[in-house]
Amino acid sequence: MDIKSKSKYLFVVWVLLISFGLSGVFSVLTNGSRFMQGDYFESDEYHSEKDQFVAMLNVYELYKMPKEEMKKQITVSDEEIAEHRTRYGNLGDQISNIGMQYEDQIQAAIDSGNKAAEEILKKERDGKITDITENFNSDEYVRAKVVKEKEKKVDEFYQNLERYRREFTNLKAAYKYYLKDNSTGEVFTNLNLSKDEKASDYLNKRDMYYILDYEGLHNSYLFTGYTEKFLPYNEVAEAILENQKDRDLTGQVGLSRHASEKHSSIFNYKHYQKGQKLYFGYLLLSIAALIASYFLAKRKPAAVFGSFEQLKPFYGRIPLDVRAVLLLITVFFLLLSMTLISEQFVYYHSNVLASLIELIISLVAAASLLAFGWIQLKFLSEYRKDWPKLKEDVNSSLLVKSYHAILNAFLIKSIGFQLLVILGIVFVIGMLFVAVLASGGGPIIVIAFAFGVISLPIFIMIMRKAGYLNKVLKHTEELAAGNLGVDIPVKGKSAIAKHASNINNLRNTVNVSHKEQAKSERLKTELITNVSHDLRTPLTSIITYTELLKTPDLAQEDRDSYLEILDRKSKRLKVLIDDLFEATKMASGNIELHKEKVDLNQLLQQALAEHNEALSQSSLQLRVSQPDQAVYAFVDGQKLWRVFDNLIGNILKYALENTRVYISVKEEPNQVVLTFKNITKYELGEDLNELFERFKRGDQSRHTEGSGLGLAIAKSIVDLHEGSLDIEVDGDLFKVTVILEKLN
């Protein structure tokens, strides 16, 4: 730089000061919070260690349980028996799978004439089949298996306890505790107290760095500790330990001042104190450096904010996008060097000399990068006064030039690669020509030159012809990627033009497909949300009232009331699960129809009679229109009764009070048409087809008792009968039409 020596030194000093100062600010924003939260005992580091010790204390001392005692408390629910029994399918499926597993092996033994192997395999297969069959015949047989599985889990739990016991023992060397169970009087401590000594003689501010009052912590604290911090998750042990009664514990846990200086807990504390003092000293120095750099720049602006005109011609020849990338790289490495500076203070090192060397290297690197970045920003800032120059440099950048150069050639990758191959051929021929020329060849020079003369025009011609093809194929690629825009331009009657016309015809289909896909994803999300909501509501009530029943001395009146609620919610949950199971079976087509000749008039009357009490108690006025003679259809009467039952149930739930409901049965030459009409109390959405989705309701607030599966099940049943179930809405008038084939 062509500036005076004094100004040069002043600029160097300025960038050193501001680099050091900015590193301090940067350390506060990144990892300075390590020392900003108070002393060591308020830090996340210490709380993590303390929480781990308390959790281990719970596991190993306060709530410890002998292995055999834990095994005695193992229970097996009916649900667990059912899950184990049907884990690999129903009885038929499991027997079939076992047979297939051994079929090839037995056949191979037969083919090889190995009678012994054949008998062993058959015996092994028959034994497994007998075992599976017994699973489905005896709950006690399955219960014993489940107990063994859980006992194995308990063994794993105690193996893990032994693995991590050394870590607990190590922490006990630094942590002292005295805890008393107020209910039993039992004392838990690692203090060596004589008869005349009290826990407060040791657990005090004089002898402890930190004291935790152990009060109000119950066994749920234990599980947060051992499942998330140091022990592998074990659902069997957790379930048993969680059922233990909370201890009414009071006392204290403290970090002893008399622990060894080499103990990790004490070492971390001392290390943190030294690092904190060093860090705050570093912050004060960085603030002072920023203040000094401010006054230096204010008093000597010419030195700090020099023009650096000598560098401008060289810098101006660099393309604009390269300058931008260069600036980003400079900023990245500047931040990295500032991080290295701050880490010398944030993370205290015992080797002072090594830290000092790293600090000097990082500071020099940061200052150099800051100076380089400052010069770049100064030149780039001049565009504020010369926008035409900025536009000119943008158009002259490498990125824009490259974009315009390969835009048409690489609209489609395959075409681009073909052109690249041709370009490679031209390049190879050119290199061959240079090689022959350099070697002094004769006729070969002429051949190579001919290849060059021929190849270059061909390359140019292909580039021109590829233009239109690339544009058409680019439109096609965008459509295939889902970017639906304007139609593809069609020029002439060539194969490419015909292809463009065909793509235009498919465009509308793609558009419709995208809308259907978006709708499907939305309905899938709604299904998951609604299933969770509808199943969780009764389940939450069951859990709540089950816990209330465990209350000692519960009045008989309250107990009966709770049992009634549990009975109602359990039946509600069963209805939801049964409906979901039935809807799933029907949607998959995995259901059998037992068709017979059925009078639809009589079947409808049976369904109405089932709801007679509810209809009479409602304010709805029912109007039923049916032919006098029987109307027969070849259907599954039980399944079709379910259709009528669901539709009538929907009317009772969603029809507006004090309105008329119309149900009619009409005969047509080959069909029977049944209609159900009512006035809805809820405003329906625009897409009526969504009402057929599982767990979809007309009342968006989902406050009715329905499962949301009624219409889905009804439509599935009608579809299985090769009939149709359609919905029509005219304002608040809701109409369901069921069409079935008439039996003549």
Side-chain angles (χ1 to χ4, degrees):
M1 289 181 285
D2 190 15
I3 56 177
K4 294 181 179 179
S5 177
K6 185 177 180 180
S7 298
K8 183 192 303 182
Y9 293 140
L10 286 175
F11 180 73
V12 171
V13 171
W14 180 76
V15 294
L16 285 171
L17 287 172
I18 200 168
S19 297
F20 185 76
L22 289 176
S23 70
V25 176
F26 186 71
S27 72
V28 173
L29 298 176
T30 53
N31 48 20
S33 59
R34 181 168 181 256
F35 297 119
M36 294 293 188
Q37 53 195 345
D39 63 16
Y40 174 69
F41 300 109
E42 295 176 4
S43 68
D44 294 336
E45 298 171 46
Y46 177 72
H47 280 293
S48 176
E49 179 186 286
K50 178 256 298 178
D51 290 345
Q52 183 177 2
F53 174 72
V54 173
M56 284 184 164
L57 182 61
N58 276 280
V59 177
Y60 288 99
E61 299 289 346
L62 306 183
Y63 291 94
K64 66 180 179 180
M65 180 186 297
K67 183 195 298 186
E68 296 306 319
E69 176 65 24
M70 181 175 286
K71 288 184 177 180
K72 289 179 182 179
Q73 295 192 26
I74 291 175
T75 59
V76 180
S77 66
D78 292 340
E79 290 77 11
E80 289 174 320
I81 292 175
E83 187 278 331
H84 185 278
R85 177 177 288 150
T86 59
R87 185 176 296 171
Y88 303 106
N90 57 39
L91 178 60
D93 291 340
Q94 294 189 50
I95 292 175
S96 176
N97 290 335
I98 292 172
M100 287 189 293
Q101 290 173 15
Y102 284 89
E103 183 178 358
D104 292 340
Q105 299 179 56
I106 293 173
Q107 187 60 47
I110 292 173
D111 294 341
S112 62
N114 191 340
K115 288 288 185 181
E118 179 187 350
E119 292 300 324
I120 291 172
L121 289 170
K122 286 182 177 180
K123 184 177 180 181
E124 186 178 332
R125 178 198 63 191
D126 295 341
K128 289 186 177 181
I129 292 175
T130 302
D131 178 65
I132 294 299
T133 305
E134 188 65 21
N135 280 349
F136 283 84
N137 291 334
S138 172
D139 286 353
E140 293 305 318
Y141 187 77
V142 180
R143 190 186 306 276
K145 286 185 173 182
V146 177
V147 168
K148 286 184 179 179
E149 290 180 358
K150 290 192 173 185
E151 287 179 344
K152 185 177 179 181
K153 284 284 186 181
V154 170
D155 291 335
E156 291 176 1
F157 172 71
Y158 281 93
Q159 288 171 6
N160 287 325
L161 282 183
E162 290 306 313
R163 262 175 42 203
Y164 290 91
R165 187 177 294 277
R166 180 181 295 179
E167 187 174 351
F168 175 58
T169 303
N170 178 59
L171 288 172
K172 282 176 65 176
Y175 283 88
K176 303 299 178 183
Y177 58 91
Y178 183 91
L179 304 170
K180 182 177 181 181
D181 190 326
N182 296 322
S183 301
T184 64
E186 187 177 1
V187 173
F188 302 90
T189 182
N190 63 346
L191 297 173
N192 296 319
L193 298 176
S194 63
K195 292 183 179 180
D196 299 329
E197 290 180 320
K198 298 180 295 184
S200 58
D201 295 336
Y202 294 92
L203 293 169
N204 53 59
K205 293 184 178 180
R206 182 185 67 255
D207 295 307
M208 296 290 146
Y209 287 113
Y210 177 85
I211 299 176
L212 167 69
D213 290 325
Y214 195 101
E215 187 174 357
L217 297 176
H218 48 82
N219 66 347
S220 65
Y221 188 91
L222 150 74
F223 303 112
T224 301
Y226 88 75
T227 57
E228 294 183 2
K229 290 189 177 179
F230 72 95
L231 276 182
Y233 177 70
N234 191 301
E235 67 275 11
V236 175
E238 178 177 349
I240 294 173
L241 292 173
E242 277 185 331
N243 288 329
Q244 291 190 94
K245 184 178 179 181
D246 289 342
R247 289 185 178 273
D248 182 15
L249 294 168
T250 55
Q252 293 177 315
V253 177
L255 179 62
S256 175
R257 292 179 181 270
H258 304 293
S260 171
E261 294 284 333
K262 295 182 180 180
H263 193 280
S264 60
S265 299
I266 307 303
F267 176 80
N268 291 339
Y269 166 63
K270 300 291 186 181
H271 190 78
Y272 183 93
Q273 281 187 316
K274 293 178 182 178
Q276 190 176 45
K277 292 177 182 178
L278 181 63
Y279 179 71
F280 282 114
Y282 161 57
L283 279 185
L284 291 175
L285 285 176
S286 65
I287 293 171
L290 285 175
I291 295 172
S293 67
Y294 169 76
F295 283 108
L296 179 61
K298 188 174 181 180
R299 294 189 63 181
K300 302 289 184 178
V304 175
F305 306 108
S307 61
F308 305 103
E309 291 295 328
Q310 296 262 342
L311 296 175
K312 187 178 289 187
F314 170 76
Y315 187 76
R317 288 195 293 269
I318 301 175
L320 183 61
D321 46 358
V322 176
R323 291 185 233 166
V325 172
L326 193 60
L327 180 60
L328 290 175
I329 293 174
T330 303
V331 172
F332 172 78
F333 283 103
L334 176 61
L335 294 176
L336 181 62
S337 60
M338 287 185 177
T339 301
L340 294 175
I341 295 173
S342 66
E343 283 183 351
Q344 308 307 314
F345 299 95
V346 174
Y347 300 100
Y348 173 74
H349 297 284
S350 56
N351 191 333
V352 178
L353 180 60
S355 297
L356 184 61
I357 294 174
E358 287 185 35
L359 175 63
I360 293 173
I361 294 173
S362 301
L363 184 59
V364 171
S368 303
L369 291 166
L370 181 64
F372 186 44
W374 170 257
I375 294 171
Q376 293 181 72
L377 284 173
K378 181 176 177 60
F379 289 150
L380 288 174
S381 65
E382 295 178 359
Y383 282 120
R384 294 178 302 171
K385 301 177 182 179
D386 194 355
W387 290 104
K389 177 62 175 174
L390 175 61
K391 185 176 180 181
E392 179 184 344
D393 286 352
V394 168
N395 292 329
S396 301
S397 64
L398 288 180
L399 190 61
V400 174
K401 286 182 177 179
S402 300
Y403 171 76
H404 288 299
I406 64 175
L407 181 62
N408 292 329
F410 282 90
L411 284 174
I412 304 300
K413 289 183 179 180
S414 60
I415 300 298
F417 281 122
Q418 291 177 22
L419 296 175
L420 191 62
V421 170
I422 295 174
L423 183 61
I425 293 173
V426 173
F427 175 77
V428 169
I429 292 176
M431 293 298 294
L432 179 62
F433 177 78
V434 172
V436 172
L437 185 64
S439 63
I444 300 179
I445 295 179
V446 178
I447 297 173
F449 181 77
F451 271 105
V453 171
I454 295 172
S455 299
L456 187 58
I458 292 175
F459 174 75
I460 295 174
M461 180 186 68
I462 293 175
M463 290 287 289
R464 292 180 61 185
K465 292 290 184 180
Y468 176 66
L469 176 61
N470 280 341
K471 290 179 181 179
V472 173
L473 294 181
K474 183 60 179 177
H475 275 282
T476 307
E477 181 181 340
E478 290 179 356
L479 287 174
N483 301 322
L484 305 179
V486 296
D487 286 342
I488 302 173
V490 179
K491 298 180 180 179
K493 299 180 179 180
S494 63
I496 297 176
K498 184 177 180 181
H499 171 73
S501 178
N502 292 336
I503 293 298
N504 288 337
N505 293 334
L506 291 173
R507 181 172 167 272
N508 291 331
T509 304
V510 173
N511 193 18
V512 171
S513 175
H514 282 186
K515 290 180 179 178
E516 289 296 324
Q517 183 179 3
K519 174 185 172 183
S520 175
E521 292 296 325
R522 176 172 56 82
L523 291 176
K524 185 188 301 180
T525 303
E526 289 181 5
L527 171 61
I528 295 171
T529 302
N530 294 336
V531 168
S532 301
H533 174 276
D534 285 353
L535 294 180
R536 189 185 297 114
T537 300
L539 184 58
T540 301
S541 297
I542 292 171
I543 294 171
T544 301
Y545 284 98
T546 301
E547 290 297 322
L548 290 174
L549 283 173
K550 297 177 183 178
T551 305
D553 302 324
L554 181 65
Q556 186 61 39
E557 182 181 353
D558 291 337
R559 186 179 301 275
D560 293 340
S561 174
Y562 295 162
L563 286 173
E564 181 182 355
I565 294 172
L566 282 172
D567 182 64
R568 187 170 68 253
K569 295 299 182 180
S570 299
K571 290 177 180 177
R572 167 68 177 152
L573 186 60
K574 183 178 184 300
V575 168
L576 287 170
I577 294 173
D578 287 346
D579 283 356
L580 178 59
F581 180 68
E582 185 171 354
T584 304
K585 284 206 308 182
M586 290 181 179
S588 63
N590 186 21
I591 190 169
E592 291 184 21
L593 295 179
H594 302 286
K595 292 185 177 183
E596 57 185 358
K597 183 179 180 181
V598 176
D599 183 1
L600 298 183
N601 276 337
Q602 184 181 1
L603 191 63
L604 179 60
Q605 286 300 328
Q606 290 175 1
L608 289 170
E610 186 73 16
H611 294 276
N612 186 50
E613 183 179 353
L615 287 168
S616 61
Q617 291 177 358
S618 71
S619 60
L620 301 175
Q621 302 175 32
L622 183 63
R623 300 289 186 269
V624 181
S625 174
Q626 294 177 280
D628 295 332
Q629 71 280 6
V631 179
Y632 292 103
F634 191 64
V635 295
D636 185 326
Q638 185 178 2
K639 296 293 188 297
L640 196 59
W641 181 91
R642 180 68 185 276
V643 173
F644 296 160
D645 181 69
N646 286 353
L647 294 177
I648 296 169
N650 276 354
I651 290 173
L652 286 168
K653 293 187 191 91
Y654 302 111
L656 184 65
E657 293 80 5
N658 300 308
T659 59
R660 294 187 182 89
V661 175
Y662 295 92
I663 301 176
S664 67
V665 181
K666 294 182 180 180
E667 288 185 274
E668 292 185 3
N670 297 312
Q671 294 177 332
V672 181
V673 180
L674 301 97
T675 58
F676 299 76
K677 295 187 288 187
N678 65 276
I679 303 299
T680 63
K681 67 171 71 173
Y682 301 105
E683 184 176 351
L684 298 177
E686 294 181 0
D687 193 349
L688 298 178
N689 290 328
E690 290 186 11
L691 291 177
F692 289 126
E693 299 295 333
R694 285 170 286 178
F695 285 87
K696 190 73 178 181
R697 297 186 189 162
D699 56 317
Q700 296 300 321
S701 60
R702 305 187 61 77
H703 60 263
T704 65
E705 286 295 320
S707 67
L709 294 165
L711 284 176
I713 293 174
K715 181 168 177 58
S716 297
I717 292 173
V718 174
D719 289 344
L720 288 172
H721 284 85
E722 298 181 351
S724 65
L725 189 153
D726 297 310
I727 293 175
E728 296 177 37
V729 173
D730 186 2
D732 291 334
L733 176 63
F734 183 80
K735 178 181 177 182
V736 178
T737 302
V738 179
I739 301 177
L740 296 168
E741 184 177 356
K742 178 182 175 183
L743 184 62
N744 295 318

